[in-house]
């Protein structure tokens, strides 16, 4: 198949689970086998991939029916890991060269795209060690979304890092740019080397790397380095990375057959916007030479041309997904096990586990279970518990028949009381560790360690939270009547959730103290899952502006947008629903008007986030230059809660809207008064008060641990020192640039770039590169150019005497909807050069011509330092 280039843990010990005792599914095994045969023919053809996609095989059916076990067994079958005596016989004749698994069980509606890319890369490592096109691009992307982190490992080894290091070493050697990277380990060259390669590409835009790649790869590599950030990972770009790997696979002859197993796809429907399903749709479509085997509860409806939100839909795109399609790969309904399969499964378990169960009990279980695999798994666990009790009692029919919920309760009957508490408490979480389990249950850690070895708890492949409970079991325990022995009332669940939330808060505060932003986000996400599952009592916040610690933690998290992938898509509680709406309202994936509507709903509620929602509603309107609407929101906020923070918002909006007289009057007697005076004087070309007062402000921010605001203020100070004084040394700006990069602070990064431009100590090519990158980052953050890019371009063009550049900038700025206070210095410099912008209503505190002259004088002093 010809594929076009893109853009044109270790298992715990213990009794075996249903997946290991799975039996038959002969119909499904034959469907998979015939799919492999047909897909091999598609790979071997010389035809273009075309419009239609024939790379999706789905198995769907009720929860607990055994779809996960089927998915795992199919993978084991083609990897030759399934014993010949265990059902299907020899592996299919069509060879599968590599497999990968994307498990959505813990996704709660969100797909972790970087993890999916890593799963794909780990899979194709079985074909060959190095994939230069993908590896370079992924390393650039990873360093942008996870600044300061090494490339991740898979299978416990640094395979990816070593591969990237080898590739970048060869590329840099070819470019003659390896000298300044000498020393250190080979793996240290990985991300550092990619950054060096990216730097060379920025400097030499016509450069073509000595890598066997498609036309335009160099531009794609730059996009991977420049467009994503820790707060906005650019999921569509991640899907293009998967497409790059697909293209690279297609360059091998004969083309290898790669199969990707995606399990529990119904999780994606938990998000009413189904954003992650859109990403999966884009990824699958972009990899036509990779076979995807999807398992979930629902029929996949990508064939429906009326589906909104999917980039690729319709029967012409997915003919095999149309219900009733005659040829594999297509959609298959997975039913219960047949009576013969059910009997074989029970007998195999009885033999392997030496269960004291008669043939008569086996037949009772065959009839009562109706072939539901999860039911059989629970019955097996009951039998194991009876055996482990050591009384010599045999399993009776009454022990292993009845409802799913009743069976769960029977399992817990033979579990010690403290472990029962731990297992019940764990049902509050989608994924968990023993620390959270013990805290929620109020038991010792040893008890939790014993409890996770019980058969109903699965080992989840996650470093931070490695355990989970199957949904069917979790729900049965969670909804059990409190009148049964050991059962919990609603109040018991609330108390457990409160203990869990308190434990999460302690972990969160510790991570905050260590400035471990990733762990802070993980733990805020765990707390949000709790409040979405259960009404929860939360501890108060250490601030009058917040009703509880979680609402404050959300607002002050390293990135509200960064929480999107860590939280569920829906909530059982009203508290949780509005939390999810607040997070959605801070995502650029959500349309602006919908963001405003979500924030308005929270603001009108009695939720602890109502005041922050009101503030962010005003901020969103202010960012869009909708000044009057923003003022109305902040006035409403003051009427509800007249705190100094809220009272200071009106003068700040007026100041940004260039209504300096109104802002001065509104700020009288408020703590914000000095700030309003300072920014007004600066806009008028008088920076003296700023330089006198900003050190105290920075010290206050630093002492309060407001790291994001502190970094932003440092960046502003550096760029102003560079323009007015020129006293920023190279180490100072280099250190700040590293801090901005490592924290993923885009505003600080833009300030570092502007400072570099203004200092003029780099060669002209590097300065031009910094200006270009400023533009990219401005547009990525704002949707249009901002004052940092405009100021850098203005100063550069004036120094170079390049009137064409100035005219182009003047024309572009003239097309903006409006211009805020921040753009005044740019306007004054352009006017002094004879290129005035259209008038922007402004309440000048002194004659406008004096302001223009003053900024022109500042530029003249700046230019004199760079003659």
């Amino acid at each position: 198949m010809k594929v076009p280039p893109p853009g044109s843990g270790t298992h715990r010990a213990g009794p075996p689970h249903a997946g290991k005792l799975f039996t038959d599914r002969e119909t499904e095994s034959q469907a998979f086998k015939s799919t492999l045969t047909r897909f091999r023919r598609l790979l071997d053809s010389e035809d273009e991939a075309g419009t239609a996609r024939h790379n999706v095989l789905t198995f769907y059916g009720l929860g607990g029916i055994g779809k996960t076990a089927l998915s795992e067994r199919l993978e084991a079958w083609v990897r030759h890991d399934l014993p010949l005596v265990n059902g299907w016989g020899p592996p299919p004749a069509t060879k599968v060269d590599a497999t990968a698994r994307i498990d959505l069980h813990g996704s709660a509606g969100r797909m972790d795209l970087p993890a999916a890319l890593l799963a794909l890369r780990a899979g194709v490592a079985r074909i060959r060690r190095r994939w230069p096109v993908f590896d370079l691009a992924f390393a650039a992307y990873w360093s942008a979304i996870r600044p300061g982190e090494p490339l991740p490992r898979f299978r416990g080894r640094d395979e990816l890092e070593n591969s990237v290091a080898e590739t970048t070493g060869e590329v840099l050697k070819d470019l003659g740019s390896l000298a300044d990277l000498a020393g250190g380990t080979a793996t240290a060259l990985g991300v550092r080397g990619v950054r060096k390669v990216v730097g060379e590409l920025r400097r030499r835009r016509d450069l073509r790397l000595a890598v066997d790649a498609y036309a335009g790869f160099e531009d794609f590599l730059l996009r991977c380095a420049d467009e994503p950030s820790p707060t906005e990972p650019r999921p569509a770009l991640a899907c293009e990375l998967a497409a790059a790997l697909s293209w690279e696979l297609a360059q091998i002859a004969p083309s290898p057959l790669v199969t990707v197993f995606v399990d529990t796809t119904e999780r994606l429907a938990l998000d009413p916007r189904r954003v992650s399903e859109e990403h999966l749709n884009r990824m699958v479509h972009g990899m036509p030479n990779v076979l995807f085997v999807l398992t979930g509860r629902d029929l996949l409806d990508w064939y429906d041309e009326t589906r909104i939100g999917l980039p690729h839909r319709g029967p012409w795109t997915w003919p095999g997904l149309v219900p009733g399609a005659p040829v594999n790969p297509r959609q298959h309904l997975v039913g219960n096990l047949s009576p013969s399969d059910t009997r074989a499964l029970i007998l195999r378990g009885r033999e392997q586990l030496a269960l004291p169960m008669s043939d008569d009990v086996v037949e009772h279980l065959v009839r009562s279970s109706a072939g539901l695999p999860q039911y059989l798994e629970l019955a097996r666990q009951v039998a194991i518990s009876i055996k482990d009790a050591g009384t010599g009692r045999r399993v009776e029919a009454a022990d292993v028949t009845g409802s799913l919920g009743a069976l769960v309760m029977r399992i817990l009957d033979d579990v010690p009381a403290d472990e029962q508490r731990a297992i019940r408490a764990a049902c509050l979480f989608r994924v968990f560790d023993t620390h959270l389990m013990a805290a929620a249950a109020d038991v010792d850690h040893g008890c939790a360690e014993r409890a996770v070895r019980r058969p109903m708890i699965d080992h989840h492949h996650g470093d931070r939270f490695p355990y989970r409970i199957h949904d069917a079991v979790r729900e049965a325990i969670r909804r059990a009547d409190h009148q049964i022995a050991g059962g919990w009332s609603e109040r018991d669940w609330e108390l457990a959730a409160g203990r869990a939330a308190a434990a999460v808060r302690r972990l969160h505060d510790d991570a905050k103290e260590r400035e471990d932003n990733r762990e802070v986000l993980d733990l805020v996400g765990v707390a949000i899952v709790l409040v979405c599952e259960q009404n929860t009592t939360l501890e108060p916040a250490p601030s009058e502006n917040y009703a509880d610690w979680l609402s404050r933690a959300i607002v002050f998290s390293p990135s509200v947008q960064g929480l999107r992938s860590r939280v569920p898509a829906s909530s059982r509680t009203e508290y949780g629903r509005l939390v999810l709406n607040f997070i959605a309202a801070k995502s650029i994936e959500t349309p602006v008007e919908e963001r405003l509507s979500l924030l308005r709903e929270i603001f009108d509620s009695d939720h602890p986030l109502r005041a922050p929602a009101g503030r962010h509603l005003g901020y969103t309107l202010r960012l869009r230059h909708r000044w009057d609407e923003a003022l109305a929101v902040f006035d409403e906020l003051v009427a509800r809660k007249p705190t100094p923070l809220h009272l200071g918002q009106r003068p700040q909006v007026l100041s940004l809207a260039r209504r300096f007289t109104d802002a001065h009057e509104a700020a009288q007697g408020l703590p914000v008064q000095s700030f309003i005076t300072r920014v007004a004087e600066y806009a008028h070309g008088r920076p003296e008060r700023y330089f006198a007062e900003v050190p105290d402000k920075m010290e206050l921010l630093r002492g309060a641990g407001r790291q994001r605001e502190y970094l932003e203020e440092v960046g502003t100070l550096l760029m102003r020192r560079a323009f007015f004084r020129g006293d920023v040394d190279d180490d100072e700006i280099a250190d700040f640039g590293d801090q901005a990069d490592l924290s993923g602070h885009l505003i600080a990064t833009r300030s570092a770039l502007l400072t570099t431009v203004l200092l003029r100590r780099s060669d002209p090519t590097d300065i031009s590169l910094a200006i270009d990158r400023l533009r990219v980052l401005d547009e990525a953050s704002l949707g249009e150019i901002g004052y940092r890019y405009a100021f850098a371009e203005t100063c550069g063009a004036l120094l170079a005497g390049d009137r064409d550049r100035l005219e182009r900038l003047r024309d572009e700025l003239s097309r903006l909807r409006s211009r805020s206070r921040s753009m005044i210095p740019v306007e004054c410099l352009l006017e002094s050069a004879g290129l005035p912008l259209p008038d922007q209503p402004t309440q000048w505190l002194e004659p406008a011509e004096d302001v223009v002259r003053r900024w022109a004088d500042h530029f003249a002093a700046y230019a004199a330092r760079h003659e």
Side-chain angles (χ1 to χ4, degrees):
M1 178 189 295
K2 295 181 180 178
V3 176
S8 31
T10 304
H11 287 284
R12 62 173 180 81
H17 284 260
K20 296 180 181 178
L21 296 169
F22 191 88
T23 188
D24 200 21
R25 294 294 190 195
E26 188 65 26
T27 300
E28 287 79 3
S29 70
Q30 291 302 318
F32 183 53
K33 187 184 291 187
S34 68
T35 294
L36 292 177
T37 301
R38 183 168 186 239
F39 197 68
R40 180 72 261 173
R41 288 200 299 268
L42 289 174
L43 289 178
D44 292 338
S45 74
E46 290 297 318
D47 298 336
E48 297 287 344
T51 300
R53 292 292 183 267
H54 300 279
N55 62 330
V56 183
L57 173 68
T58 78
F59 296 104
Y60 68 98
L62 296 173
I65 208 75
K67 298 178 299 296
T68 295
L70 171 63
S71 176
E72 293 173 347
R73 182 179 169 87
L74 288 171
E75 183 177 16
W77 195 33
V78 297
R79 292 182 62 175
H80 297 251
D81 293 336
L82 200 64
L84 295 181
V85 297
N86 201 6
W88 293 337
T94 304
K95 179 185 177 185
V96 173
D97 297 282
T99 65
R101 176 165 293 277
I102 299 173
D103 186 357
L104 302 175
H105 188 281
S107 67
R110 315 289 186 197
M111 182 176 175
D112 186 342
L113 281 170
L117 291 174
L118 284 170
L120 293 171
R121 178 59 176 82
V124 298
R126 298 183 180 93
I127 299 171
R128 69 183 190 195
R129 285 187 59 252
R130 291 170 55 185
W131 299 87
V133 169
F134 176 86
D135 290 350
L136 287 175
F138 179 81
Y141 177 80
W142 179 265
S143 65
I145 64 169
R146 300 282 177 82
E149 290 189 27
L151 287 170
R153 311 172 90 197
F154 44 81
R155 291 196 292 275
R157 297 191 295 275
D158 294 314
E159 291 184 36
L160 181 56
E161 183 80 61
N162 290 331
S163 174
V164 171
E166 291 173 17
T167 300
T168 53
E170 292 173 4
V171 170
L172 291 172
K173 184 177 180 181
D174 182 72
L175 296 176
S177 305
L178 196 58
D180 59 343
L181 288 174
T185 64
T187 57
L189 182 59
V191 171
R192 288 171 56 226
V194 170
R195 288 184 178 177
K196 178 69 174 176
V197 170
V198 167
E200 292 292 331
L201 286 174
R202 289 183 180 133
R203 183 176 294 104
R204 301 148 62 181
R205 297 307 292 263
D206 60 343
L207 182 65
R208 292 296 172 262
L209 301 177
V211 176
D212 186 13
Y214 51 85
F217 170 67
E218 289 78 10
D219 289 336
F220 177 62
L221 186 57
L222 286 175
R223 288 177 57 211
C224 289
D226 292 339
E227 291 185 11
S229 71
T231 56
E232 182 41 59
R234 300 289 177 187
L237 190 62
C239 294
E240 286 189 63
L241 275 163
L245 182 59
S246 176
W247 178 87
E248 208 164 3
L249 279 164
Q251 307 315 299
I252 301 175
S255 182
L257 198 163
V258 177
T259 303
V260 178
F261 296 88
V262 186
D263 190 30
T264 58
T265 55
E266 72 272 7
R267 289 285 182 178
L268 301 180
L270 294 175
D271 177 7
R273 299 173 182 84
R274 301 176 82 160
V275 173
S276 285
E277 185 177 357
E278 171 192 337
H279 304 330
L280 180 62
N281 173 274
R282 192 187 303 273
M283 176 182 288
V284 174
H285 186 272
M287 306 184 78
N289 56 331
V290 172
L291 177 63
F292 286 82
V293 180
L294 275 54
T295 44
R297 295 187 182 182
D298 306 313
L299 186 80
L300 203 63
D301 62 354
W302 294 356
Y303 62 86
D304 184 353
E305 60 190 281
T306 66
R307 263 293 304 272
I308 60 173
L310 286 181
H312 307 287
R313 61 183 182 273
W316 51 85
T317 305
W318 309 102
L321 299 183
V322 176
V327 181
N328 281 311
R330 59 185 180 88
Q331 306 216 59
H332 293 263
L333 175 65
V334 180
N336 290 7
L337 294 171
S338 67
S340 61
D341 292 343
T342 301
R343 186 176 296 103
L345 176 58
I346 298 169
L347 292 173
R348 183 174 299 134
R350 183 177 72 173
E351 178 184 352
Q352 291 184 1
L353 303 173
L355 299 177
M357 182 187 298
S358 68
D359 291 343
D360 186 53
V361 171
V362 168
E363 292 307 316
H364 272 89
L365 186 52
V366 169
R367 291 192 296 272
S368 65
S369 68
L372 183 66
Q374 190 60 41
Y375 189 109
L376 295 171
E377 170 67 3
L378 291 169
R380 181 183 301 109
Q381 293 176 23
V382 170
I384 291 171
S385 297
I386 292 172
K387 175 191 172 186
D388 290 347
T391 62
R393 182 169 81 84
R394 294 185 65 78
V395 178
E396 299 176 3
D399 295 320
V400 291
T401 57
S403 71
L404 193 66
L407 280 176
V408 170
M409 295 307 106
R410 289 178 202 165
I411 294 169
L412 293 179
D413 280 345
D414 289 326
V415 174
D418 58 347
E419 290 183 43
Q420 277 197 43
R421 285 184 59 83
I423 292 167
R424 290 182 193 279
C427 292
L428 287 167
F429 308 100
R430 295 185 185 277
V431 292
F432 56 92
D433 63 7
T434 54
H435 178 87
L436 291 180
M437 189 185 201
D442 194 21
V443 298
D444 59 73
H445 286 269
C447 169
E449 293 289 352
R450 293 191 298 275
V452 295
R453 295 179 62 82
R454 293 288 173 178
M456 70 287 292
I457 294 179
D458 290 326
H459 193 287
H460 169 67
H461 293 287
D463 295 334
R464 185 63 185 84
F465 302 109
Y467 301 107
R468 69 184 180 196
I469 299 177
H470 190 284
D471 282 351
V473 179
R474 182 170 173 265
E475 284 300 302
I477 295 177
R478 186 73 180 79
R479 304 302 164 201
D481 194 305
H482 67 274
Q483 296 183 18
I484 68 170
W488 281 7
S489 68
E490 183 63 19
R491 181 58 180 157
D492 291 321
W493 286 109
E494 288 180 9
L495 290 172
R499 290 190 295 268
V504 173
R505 180 190 182 170
R506 290 191 293 272
L507 294 171
H508 165 272
D509 292 350
D510 178 62
K512 189 92 172 174
E513 183 70 23
R514 290 184 280 107
E515 298 184 4
D516 187 336
N517 289 340
R518 186 179 179 187
E519 187 164 353
V520 168
L521 287 170
D522 284 345
L523 290 162
V524 173
V526 169
I528 292 172
V529 168
L530 268 177
V531 299
C532 288
E533 287 288 322
Q534 175 66 52
N535 290 321
T536 307
T537 301
L538 297 167
E539 296 169 314
S543 166
E544 66 174 5
N545 294 316
Y546 298 90
D548 58 53
W549 76 268
L550 180 56
S551 59
R552 185 176 189 275
I554 290 168
V555 174
F556 282 91
S557 66
S559 163
V560 178
Q561 290 183 40
L563 292 170
R564 286 298 298 273
S565 63
R566 294 168 165 86
V567 300
S570 59
S571 172
R572 286 175 167 145
T573 70
E574 183 66 4
Y575 182 106
R577 184 182 73 83
L578 294 179
V579 165
L580 298 182
N581 284 351
F582 182 81
I583 293 170
K586 296 298 294 178
S587 170
I588 66 172
E589 291 181 341
T590 306
V592 171
E593 291 305 319
E594 186 178 349
R595 281 187 248 164
L596 294 173
S597 176
L598 292 171
L599 290 169
R600 182 79 245 182
E601 181 193 7
I602 304 168
F603 187 32
D604 290 340
S605 73
D606 60 356
H607 194 276
L609 278 171
R610 62 187 179 276
R615 291 196 295 273
H616 284 264
L617 176 59
Y619 298 156
T620 304
L621 291 166
R622 188 176 72 186
L623 190 63
R624 311 294 295 182
H625 293 189
R626 292 161 65 169
W627 309 117
D628 291 339
E629 293 175 79
L631 288 170
V633 168
F634 286 127
D635 287 346
E636 187 179 350
L637 193 59
V638 168
R640 297 186 189 186
K641 195 172 184 179
T643 64
L645 175 64
H646 296 161
L647 289 166
Q649 296 301 325
R650 168 172 269 273
Q652 290 186 61
V653 174
L654 293 169
S655 177
L656 271 172
R658 304 158 70 121
R659 294 167 57 179
F660 296 114
T661 302
D662 294 344
H664 178 73
E665 292 175 358
Q668 291 297 313
L670 297 175
V672 78
Q673 183 175 355
S674 62
F675 170 77
I676 294 300
T677 302
R678 183 167 70 240
V679 295
E681 289 184 1
Y682 182 86
H684 285 70
R686 291 186 276 118
E688 296 79 16
R689 187 186 298 269
Y690 168 80
F691 283 113
E693 295 181 355
V694 76
D696 290 340
K697 178 183 180 182
M698 291 172 61
E699 189 61 34
L700 182 66
L701 292 173
R702 189 169 194 174
R706 294 157 67 176
Q707 186 67 8
R708 283 185 299 167
E709 296 166 89
Y710 173 74
L711 275 178
E712 188 171 335
E713 201 62 55
V714 171
T716 301
L717 177 59
L718 286 175
M719 65 189 188
R720 291 179 179 178
R721 283 172 53 198
F723 179 73
F724 289 102
R725 300 174 176 176
D727 63 351
V728 180
D729 63 51
D730 293 342
D731 289 342
E732 196 173 5
I733 184 58
D735 289 345
F736 175 71
D738 286 343
Q739 286 184 59
D741 191 28
L742 290 173
S743 64
H745 196 312
L746 278 184
I747 293 177
T749 298
R750 286 150 60 198
S751 295
L753 287 167
L754 177 53
T755 304
T756 300
V757 171
L758 294 174
L759 288 174
R760 314 294 296 184
R761 293 175 190 156
S762 306
D763 64 56
T765 303
D766 287 338
I767 292 173
S768 177
L769 168 64
I771 294 175
D772 287 347
R773 189 167 182 228
L774 254 179
R775 183 187 184 101
V776 169
L777 294 179
D778 268 3
E779 291 178 337
S781 300
L782 308 172
E784 60 189 23
I785 60 172
Y787 81 89
R788 288 179 181 81
Y789 164 76
F791 194 64
E793 180 68 356
T794 301
C795 291
L798 285 171
L799 285 176
D802 191 334
R803 193 167 184 82
D804 288 343
R805 281 173 63 187
L806 290 172
E807 290 179 349
R808 284 195 298 271
L809 179 63
R810 186 271 314 271
D811 293 344
E812 189 166 8
L813 291 174
S814 298
R815 293 192 292 269
L816 296 181
R817 301 186 301 276
S818 65
R819 303 187 302 277
S820 70
R821 178 192 68 220
S822 304
M823 201 64 79
I824 287 176
V826 175
E827 297 171 12
C828 292
L829 294 183
L830 286 173
E831 184 164 342
S832 68
L835 295 169
L837 289 167
D839 185 55
Q840 181 76 36
T842 306
Q843 294 176 345
W844 296 108
L845 301 178
E846 54 188 288
E849 55 269 22
D850 291 349
V851 179
V852 173
R853 176 187 49 77
R854 196 174 287 126
W855 277 107
D857 289 345
H858 289 316
F859 180 79
Y862 167 77
R865 292 198 303 273
H866 296 284
E867 288 180 350

